[in-house]
Amino acid sequence: MDLLCEHYRVERPKLGVGVVKGRSKGVLAVYSANRKEILAARREYLYDPFTILHEFYHHLRQFAGEHRGTEKYADKFAIDFINSYRAVVARLGPESSDESS
């Protein structure tokens, strides 16, 4: 996440486990603009790249002064990032994954 914050020139959001009152039903995570924090409903959701990238999109929108980014665009941001990451890993080949183990 540090590299993303550096790239977009935004403050790093805090990460936590918990729920925001009135927004807990069926939600994996939320972004609290007041606290500048991504709150995962359960600890394991902190390890889900899609969930964290989705909420990071909301963090970016908050810093741009346009927090009302839609869920559709947050989903697209996360999916595009994951697909780009997979494409880079595929281009690097199998020997690059051996080095990271």
Side-chain angles (χ1 to χ4, degrees):
M1 182 165 325
D2 290 334
L3 291 175
L4 280 172
C5 293
E6 185 179 319
H7 175 76
Y8 288 105
R9 296 185 174 114
V10 297
E11 181 180 317
R12 187 183 202 281
K14 293 181 267 181
L15 295 175
V17 178
V19 294
V20 174
K21 189 174 181 177
R23 291 186 166 186
S24 60
K25 220 170 203 134
V27 174
L28 303 181
V30 296
Y31 175 70
S32 171
N34 294 337
R35 296 164 57 168
K36 296 180 184 166
E37 182 174 27
I38 296 171
L39 281 168
R42 297 174 60 175
R43 179 179 277 288
E44 56 263 24
Y45 299 149
L46 291 173
Y47 301 98
D48 177 8
F50 177 84
T51 299
I52 298 304
L53 288 164
H54 174 102
E55 297 307 328
F56 185 78
Y57 174 84
H58 294 302
H59 178 66
L60 288 175
R61 297 289 290 181
Q62 177 65 34
F63 268 85
E66 304 170 1
H67 182 60
R68 296 294 176 200
T70 67
E71 297 303 302
K72 176 176 80 172
Y73 292 125
D75 286 351
K76 182 178 180 344
F77 175 83
I79 290 167
D80 288 349
F81 184 93
I82 291 167
N83 287 339
S84 295
Y85 175 82
R86 287 179 176 158
V88 168
V89 170
R91 270 196 312 256
L92 293 175
E95 61 278 350
S96 66
S97 64
D98 293 340
E99 292 175 15
S100 63
S101 307

